[in-house]
Amino acid sequence: QKEVEQDPGPLSVPEGAIVSLNCTYSNSAFQYFMWYRQYSRKGPELLMYTYSSGNKEDGRFTAQVDKSSKYISLFIRDSQPSDSATYLCAMSVYGQNFVFGPGTRLSVLP
Amino acid sequence: EAQVTQNPRYLITVTGKKLTVTCSQNMNHEYMSWYRQDPGLGLRQIYYSMNVEVTDKGDVPEGYKVSRKEKRNFPLILESPSPNQTSLYFCASRGGIFHEQFFGPGTRLTVL
């Protein structure tokens, strides 16, 4: 079993849809959770991070962490074509060694 | 402009020919890392550095070397590249242990 699993996609949705991206993990010591967005031929860029269970909202994006189930999600509301990218979840125990999921490729169709 | 730069961006080489991929950041960050990205496997950390002369292995360090002689630079060295090191490589830096990590543009390496 991989340490971090993520739905590989690809995922295609119409513009305006709500998107749900999910990761599961096996290491209960993870305490730092992140979502990155990666456009084609670019490096990843940080979207959101959180240290604790619960929800964190930033504009159209909501990050959700459920430590008891070892499950994290990223919700995108009112999705736009500019949201088309690969989304990577990442986790860390002490903020040094980061473990990334394989990524979910999202296409938002106009 | 705050950024992480990598060179070269593209490299095709042959098995066994030593190569170095450079990484430089202009943000005075203490932490720097190297990752490789492969389809289906995502980003995997190769090495990281917490400061000058302080480095540690990530998840996939075999076949790679790094050095951190200056704060801004963190080169990745492949002493004897092999075809299984064909990958997309990213350098990243951050200012503190829980700070945002900034990635470079990537280096696509092909080893024949």
Side-chain angles (χ1 to χ4, degrees), chain B residues 7-60:
Chain B
N7 282 292
R9 294 289 313 279
Y10 302 90
L11 179 60
I12 300 174
T13 188
V14 295
T15 299
K17 187 176 182 182
K18 180 179 178 179
L19 66 92
T20 299
V21 184
T22 65
C23 172
S24 183
Q25 50 93 5
N26 62 0
M27 296 168 278
N28 201 36
H29 284 170
E30 291 184 350
Y31 290 79
M32 297 186 75
S33 298
W34 274 105
Y35 295 86
R36 60 178 288 174
Q37 188 173 34
D38 302 288
L41 297 177
L43 280 161
R44 292 179 293 168
Q45 195 167 38
I46 302 170
Y47 269 96
Y48 60 94
S49 169
M50 291 154 282
N51 214 325
V52 174
E53 302 291 4
V54 182
T55 63
D56 206 350
K57 295 177 181 179
D59 295 320
V60 288

Coordinates of all heavy atoms in Angstrom, one line a residue, chain B residues 7-60:
Chain B
N7 N 18.8 24.8 -14.0 CA 19.4 24.7 -15.3 C 20.2 23.3 -15.4 O 20.8 22.9 -14.4 CB 20.4 25.8 -15.6 CG 19.7 27.1 -16.0 OD1 19.1 27.2 -17.0 ND2 19.7 28.1 -15.1
P8 N 20.1 22.7 -16.6 CA 19.3 23.1 -17.7 C 17.8 22.7 -17.6 O 17.5 22.0 -16.6 CB 19.9 22.2 -18.8 CG 20.4 21.0 -18.1 CD 20.9 21.4 -16.8
R9 N 17.0 23.2 -18.4 CA 15.6 22.8 -18.4 C 15.3 21.5 -19.1 O 14.4 20.7 -18.7 CB 14.7 23.9 -19.1 CG 14.7 25.2 -18.4 CD 13.9 25.2 -17.1 NE 12.7 24.6 -17.3 CZ 11.6 25.2 -17.8 NH1 11.6 26.4 -18.1 NH2 10.4 24.5 -17.9
Y10 N 16.1 21.1 -20.1 CA 16.0 19.9 -20.8 C 17.4 19.3 -20.9 O 18.4 20.1 -21.3 CB 15.4 20.1 -22.1 CG 14.0 20.6 -22.1 CD1 13.8 22.0 -22.1 CD2 12.9 19.8 -21.9 CE1 12.5 22.6 -22.1 CE2 11.6 20.4 -21.9 CZ 11.4 21.8 -21.9 OH 10.2 22.3 -21.8
L11 N 17.6 18.0 -20.8 CA 18.9 17.4 -20.9 C 18.7 15.9 -21.4 O 17.9 15.2 -20.8 CB 19.6 17.4 -19.6 CG 21.0 16.8 -19.6 CD1 21.9 17.5 -20.6 CD2 21.6 16.9 -18.2
I12 N 19.4 15.6 -22.5 CA 19.5 14.2 -22.9 C 20.9 13.8 -22.8 O 21.8 14.5 -23.3 CB 19.0 14.1 -24.4 CG1 17.5 14.6 -24.5 CG2 19.1 12.6 -24.9 CD1 17.0 14.6 -25.9
T13 N 21.2 12.7 -22.1 CA 22.5 12.2 -21.9 C 22.6 10.7 -22.1 O 21.6 10.1 -22.4 CB 23.0 12.7 -20.6 OG1 24.4 12.4 -20.4 CG2 22.3 11.9 -19.4
V14 N 23.8 10.2 -21.9 CA 23.9 8.7 -22.0 C 24.3 8.1 -20.7 O 24.8 8.8 -19.8 CB 25.0 8.4 -23.1 CG1 24.5 8.8 -24.5 CG2 26.3 9.0 -22.8
T15 N 24.1 6.9 -20.6 CA 24.4 6.1 -19.3 C 25.8 6.3 -18.9 O 26.8 6.2 -19.7 CB 24.1 4.6 -19.5 OG1 22.7 4.5 -19.8 CG2 24.4 3.8 -18.3
G16 N 26.0 6.7 -17.7 CA 27.4 6.8 -17.1 C 28.0 8.1 -17.2 O 29.1 8.3 -16.6
K17 N 27.5 9.0 -17.9 CA 28.1 10.3 -18.1 C 27.7 11.3 -17.0 O 26.5 11.8 -17.0 CB 27.8 10.9 -19.5 CG 28.6 12.2 -19.8 CD 28.3 12.7 -21.2 CE 29.1 13.9 -21.5 NZ 28.8 14.4 -22.9
K18 N 28.6 11.6 -16.1 CA 28.3 12.5 -15.0 C 27.6 13.8 -15.4 O 28.0 14.4 -16.4 CB 29.5 12.8 -14.2 CG 29.3 13.6 -12.9 CD 30.6 13.9 -12.2 CE 30.4 14.8 -11.0 NZ 31.7 15.0 -10.2
L19 N 26.6 14.2 -14.6 CA 25.9 15.5 -14.9 C 25.5 16.2 -13.6 O 25.4 15.5 -12.6 CB 24.7 15.2 -15.8 CG 23.5 14.5 -15.2 CD1 22.5 15.4 -14.6 CD2 22.9 13.6 -16.3
T20 N 25.4 17.5 -13.7 CA 24.9 18.3 -12.6 C 23.7 19.1 -13.0 O 23.8 19.8 -14.1 CB 26.0 19.2 -12.1 OG1 27.1 18.4 -11.6 CG2 25.6 20.1 -10.9
V21 N 22.7 19.2 -12.2 CA 21.6 20.1 -12.5 C 21.7 21.1 -11.4 O 21.7 20.8 -10.2 CB 20.2 19.4 -12.4 CG1 19.1 20.3 -12.7 CG2 20.2 18.2 -13.3
T22 N 21.7 22.4 -11.8 CA 21.9 23.5 -10.8 C 20.5 24.0 -10.3 O 19.5 23.9 -11.1 CB 22.7 24.6 -11.4 OG1 22.0 25.2 -12.5 CG2 24.0 24.1 -11.9
C23 N 20.5 24.5 -9.1 CA 19.3 25.1 -8.6 C 19.7 26.3 -7.7 O 20.7 26.2 -6.9 CB 18.6 24.1 -7.7 SG 17.2 24.8 -6.7
S24 N 19.0 27.4 -7.9 CA 19.4 28.6 -7.2 C 18.1 29.3 -6.8 O 17.1 29.4 -7.6 CB 20.2 29.5 -8.1 OG 20.6 30.6 -7.4
Q25 N 18.1 29.9 -5.6 CA 16.9 30.7 -5.1 C 17.4 32.0 -4.6 O 18.5 32.1 -4.0 CB 16.1 29.9 -4.1 CG 16.9 29.3 -2.9 CD 17.1 30.2 -1.7 OE1 16.4 31.3 -1.6 NE2 17.8 29.7 -0.7
N26 N 16.6 33.0 -4.8 CA 17.0 34.4 -4.5 C 16.1 34.9 -3.3 O 16.0 36.1 -3.1 CB 16.9 35.3 -5.7 CG 15.5 35.4 -6.2 OD1 14.6 34.8 -5.7 ND2 15.3 36.2 -7.3
M27 N 15.6 34.0 -2.5 CA 14.7 34.4 -1.4 C 15.3 34.2 0.0 O 14.7 34.4 1.0 CB 13.4 33.6 -1.5 CG 12.6 33.9 -2.7 SD 11.3 32.7 -3.1 CE 12.2 31.4 -3.8
N28 N 16.6 33.9 0.0 CA 17.3 33.7 1.3 C 16.7 32.6 2.1 O 16.7 32.7 3.3 CB 17.4 35.0 2.1 CG 18.6 35.0 3.1 OD1 19.6 34.4 2.8 ND2 18.3 35.6 4.2
H29 N 16.2 31.6 1.4 CA 15.5 30.5 2.1 C 16.5 29.5 2.7 O 17.6 29.2 2.1 CB 14.6 29.7 1.2 CG 13.3 30.4 0.9 ND1 12.5 30.0 -0.1 CD2 12.8 31.5 1.5 CE1 11.4 30.8 -0.1 NE2 11.6 31.8 0.8
E30 N 16.2 29.0 3.9 CA 17.1 28.0 4.5 C 16.9 26.6 4.0 O 17.8 25.9 3.8 CB 16.8 28.0 6.1 CG 17.3 29.3 6.8 CD 17.1 29.2 8.3 OE1 16.4 28.2 8.7 OE2 17.6 30.1 9.0
Y31 N 15.6 26.3 3.7 CA 15.3 24.9 3.3 C 15.3 24.8 1.8 O 14.6 25.6 1.1 CB 14.0 24.5 3.9 CG 14.0 24.3 5.4 CD1 13.9 25.4 6.2 CD2 14.0 23.0 5.9 CE1 13.8 25.2 7.6 CE2 14.0 22.8 7.3 CZ 13.9 23.9 8.1 OH 13.9 23.7 9.5
M32 N 15.9 23.7 1.3 CA 15.9 23.4 -0.2 C 15.7 21.9 -0.3 O 16.2 21.1 0.5 CB 17.1 24.0 -0.9 CG 17.2 25.5 -0.8 SD 18.6 26.1 -1.8 CE 17.9 26.0 -3.5
S33 N 15.0 21.5 -1.4 CA 14.8 20.1 -1.7 C 14.9 19.8 -3.1 O 14.7 20.7 -4.0 CB 13.4 19.7 -1.2 OG 13.2 19.9 0.2
W34 N 15.2 18.6 -3.4 CA 15.1 18.0 -4.8 C 14.0 16.9 -4.8 O 14.0 16.1 -3.9 CB 16.4 17.5 -5.3 CG 17.3 18.5 -5.9 CD1 18.4 19.0 -5.3 CD2 17.2 19.1 -7.2 NE1 19.0 20.0 -6.1 CE2 18.2 20.0 -7.3 CE3 16.3 18.9 -8.2 CZ2 18.4 20.7 -8.5 CZ3 16.5 19.7 -9.4 CH2 17.5 20.6 -9.5
Y35 N 13.2 17.0 -5.9 CA 12.2 16.0 -6.1 C 12.3 15.4 -7.5 O 12.8 16.1 -8.4 CB 10.8 16.6 -6.0 CG 10.4 17.1 -4.6 CD1 10.7 18.4 -4.2 CD2 9.7 16.3 -3.7 CE1 10.4 18.8 -3.0 CE2 9.3 16.7 -2.5 CZ 9.7 18.0 -2.1 OH 9.3 18.5 -0.9
R36 N 11.8 14.2 -7.7 CA 11.6 13.7 -9.1 C 10.1 13.4 -9.2 O 9.4 13.0 -8.3 CB 12.5 12.5 -9.4 CG 12.3 11.3 -8.5 CD 13.2 10.1 -9.0 NE 12.7 9.5 -10.3 CZ 13.4 8.6 -10.9 NH1 14.5 8.1 -10.5 NH2 12.9 8.1 -12.1
Q37 N 9.6 13.6 -10.4 CA 8.2 13.4 -10.7 C 8.0 12.4 -11.8 O 8.5 12.6 -12.9 CB 7.5 14.7 -11.0 CG 5.9 14.5 -11.1 CD 5.2 15.8 -11.3 OE1 5.7 16.8 -11.9 NE2 4.0 16.0 -10.7
D38 N 7.4 11.3 -11.5 CA 7.2 10.2 -12.5 C 5.7 9.9 -12.6 O 5.0 9.9 -11.6 CB 7.9 8.9 -12.1 CG 9.4 9.2 -12.0 OD1 10.1 9.4 -13.0 OD2 9.9 9.2 -10.8
P39 N 5.2 9.6 -13.8 CA 3.7 9.3 -14.0 C 3.3 8.2 -13.0 O 3.9 7.1 -12.9 CB 3.6 8.8 -15.4 CG 4.8 9.4 -16.1 CD 5.9 9.5 -15.1
G40 N 2.2 8.4 -12.3 CA 1.6 7.4 -11.4 C 2.2 7.4 -10.1 O 1.7 6.8 -9.1
L41 N 3.4 8.0 -9.9 CA 4.1 8.0 -8.7 C 4.2 9.3 -8.0 O 4.5 9.4 -6.8 CB 5.6 7.5 -8.9 CG 5.7 6.1 -9.4 CD1 7.2 5.7 -9.6 CD2 5.1 5.1 -8.4
G42 N 3.9 10.4 -8.7 CA 3.9 11.7 -8.1 C 5.3 12.2 -7.9 O 6.3 11.7 -8.4
L43 N 5.3 13.2 -7.0 CA 6.6 13.8 -6.6 C 7.2 13.0 -5.5 O 6.6 12.7 -4.5 CB 6.4 15.2 -6.1 CG 6.2 16.3 -7.1 CD1 5.6 17.5 -6.5 CD2 7.6 16.7 -7.7
R44 N 8.5 12.6 -5.6 CA 9.2 11.9 -4.5 C 10.4 12.7 -4.2 O 11.2 13.1 -5.1 CB 9.5 10.5 -5.0 CG 8.3 9.6 -5.2 CD 8.7 8.2 -5.6 NE 9.2 8.2 -7.0 CZ 9.8 7.2 -7.5 NH1 10.0 6.1 -6.9 NH2 10.3 7.3 -8.8
Q45 N 10.6 12.9 -2.9 CA 11.7 13.7 -2.4 C 13.1 12.9 -2.5 O 13.2 11.8 -2.0 CB 11.5 14.1 -1.0 CG 12.4 15.2 -0.5 CD 11.9 15.9 0.8 OE1 11.4 15.2 1.7 NE2 12.0 17.2 0.9
I46 N 14.1 13.5 -3.1 CA 15.4 12.8 -3.3 C 16.3 13.2 -2.1 O 16.8 12.3 -1.4 CB 16.0 13.3 -4.6 CG1 15.1 12.9 -5.8 CG2 17.4 12.6 -4.8 CD1 15.5 13.6 -7.1
Y47 N 16.5 14.5 -1.9 CA 17.3 15.0 -0.8 C 16.7 16.3 -0.4 O 16.0 17.0 -1.2 CB 18.8 15.3 -1.3 CG 19.7 14.1 -1.1 CD1 20.0 13.2 -2.2 CD2 20.4 13.9 0.1 CE1 20.9 12.2 -2.0 CE2 21.3 12.8 0.2 CZ 21.5 12.0 -0.8 OH 22.4 10.9 -0.7
Y48 N 17.0 16.7 0.8 CA 16.7 18.0 1.3 C 17.8 18.6 2.1 O 18.7 17.9 2.6 CB 15.3 18.1 2.0 CG 15.3 17.2 3.3 CD1 15.5 17.7 4.5 CD2 14.9 15.9 3.2 CE1 15.4 17.0 5.7 CE2 14.8 15.1 4.3 CZ 15.0 15.7 5.6 OH 14.9 14.9 6.7
S49 N 17.8 19.9 2.3 CA 18.8 20.6 3.0 C 18.2 21.6 3.9 O 17.3 22.4 3.5 CB 19.8 21.3 2.1 OG 20.6 22.2 2.8
M50 N 18.6 21.6 5.2 CA 18.0 22.5 6.2 C 18.8 23.8 6.3 O 18.4 24.8 7.0 CB 17.8 21.8 7.5 CG 16.8 20.8 7.5 SD 17.0 19.5 8.7 CE 18.3 18.5 7.9
N51 N 20.1 23.8 5.8 CA 20.9 25.0 5.9 C 22.2 24.6 5.2 O 22.4 23.5 4.7 CB 21.1 25.4 7.3 CG 21.3 26.9 7.4 OD1 21.8 27.6 6.5 ND2 20.8 27.5 8.5
V52 N 23.1 25.6 5.1 CA 24.4 25.3 4.5 C 25.1 24.2 5.2 O 25.1 24.1 6.4 CB 25.3 26.6 4.6 CG1 26.7 26.3 4.1 CG2 24.6 27.7 3.8
E53 N 25.6 23.3 4.4 CA 26.4 22.1 4.9 C 25.5 21.1 5.6 O 26.0 20.2 6.2 CB 27.6 22.5 5.7 CG 28.6 23.4 5.0 CD 29.4 22.8 3.9 OE1 29.1 21.6 3.6 OE2 30.2 23.4 3.3
V54 N 24.2 21.2 5.6 CA 23.3 20.3 6.3 C 22.3 19.7 5.3 O 21.5 20.4 4.7 CB 22.5 21.0 7.4 CG1 21.6 19.9 8.1 CG2 23.4 21.7 8.4
T55 N 22.5 18.4 5.0 CA 21.7 17.8 4.0 C 21.2 16.4 4.6 O 21.8 15.9 5.5 CB 22.4 17.5 2.7 OG1 23.5 16.6 2.9 CG2 22.9 18.8 2.1
D56 N 20.1 15.9 4.0 CA 19.6 14.6 4.5 C 18.9 13.9 3.4 O 18.4 14.6 2.4 CB 18.7 14.8 5.7 CG 18.6 13.5 6.6 OD1 19.2 12.5 6.1 OD2 18.1 13.5 7.7
K57 N 18.8 12.6 3.4 CA 18.2 11.8 2.4 C 16.7 11.9 2.5 O 16.1 12.0 3.6 CB 18.6 10.3 2.5 CG 20.0 10.1 2.3 CD 20.4 8.6 2.5 CE 21.9 8.4 2.4 NZ 22.2 7.0 2.6
G58 N 16.0 11.9 1.3 CA 14.6 11.8 1.2 C 14.2 10.4 1.0 O 14.9 9.5 1.5
D59 N 13.2 10.2 0.2 CA 12.7 8.8 0.0 C 13.4 8.0 -1.1 O 13.5 6.8 -1.1 CB 11.2 8.9 -0.4 CG 10.3 9.4 0.7 OD1 10.6 9.1 1.8 OD2 9.4 10.2 0.4
V60 N 14.0 8.7 -2.1 CA 14.7 8.0 -3.2 C 16.1 8.6 -3.5 O 16.3 9.1 -4.5 CB 13.8 8.1 -4.5 CG1 12.6 7.1 -4.3 CG2 13.4 9.5 -4.8

